[in-house]
Amino acid sequence: MKNNTYEIPAALKAAAKEAYGKAYAPYSQFHVGSAALTTQGNIVQGCNVENASYGLTICAERNCIGHAVANGEQSFQMIVIYTEQDKLTPPCGACRQVIAEFFEQSAPVIAINHKDEQQVWTVAQLLPDAFTPKDLLEL
Ligand code: THU
């Protein structure tokens, strides 16, 4: 599902862009906003939060998912990643693992930018044969 035509709800795009404006990225200057649509139809937001101890940085996508879980939601329809880069920003490896924990294999992960370009992947495309709850729990 790598294409340029996926229909993203306007409110979800707007939420990712709004979250981008809240990013804390004084070291990389690479701001990222994320928004996810939960199975219940709610929108949750996240941004990257860097730290003077660089390795403690949390990416926008993991922040978004953590935010949702803290608000009582653990399943999602899709997640959007917004940057103001000419290149579309794919989720890092750590975020792919966390996305795989909570999203269906077929769920869309969508990178968008300020030029309204988009790239869509499924969770399975981003992390094939992922280690997930099914490998630990009786699911
Ligand atoms: N970053 C994200 O927030 N999400 C991604 O998908 C890629 C990377 C952040 C982490 C760090 O604050 C900055 O972008 C540069 O790596």
Side-chain angles (χ1 to χ4, degrees), residues 17-83:
K17 185 173 181 176
E18 182 186 65
Y20 170 91
K22 294 178 180 163
Y24 176 73
Y27 308 110
S28 72
Q29 310 293 338
F30 193 92
H31 292 214
V32 185
S34 182
L37 183 63
T38 69
T39 302
Q40 289 181 38
N42 296 314
I43 290 175
V44 289
Q45 294 168 291
C47 60
N48 55 332
V49 180
E50 297 187 345
N51 192 275
S53 176
Y54 297 165
L56 299 183
T57 292
I58 182 161
C59 293
E61 301 91 315
R62 276 176 290 145
N63 192 6
C64 179
I65 292 167
H67 198 176
V69 172
N71 279 294
E73 297 216 49
Q74 301 184 356
S75 70
F76 304 90
Q77 299 182 48
M78 64 182 80
I79 186 164
V80 170
I81 304 153
Y82 177 89
T83 62

Side-chain angles (χ1 to χ4, degrees), residues 3-8 88 110-112 116-120:
N3 63 46
N4 228 23
T5 55
Y6 194 83
E7 187 104 11
I8 310 166
L88 292 157
I110 309 157
I112 61 173
D116 214 23
E117 296 167 333
Q118 66 167 241
Q119 184 163 357
V120 187

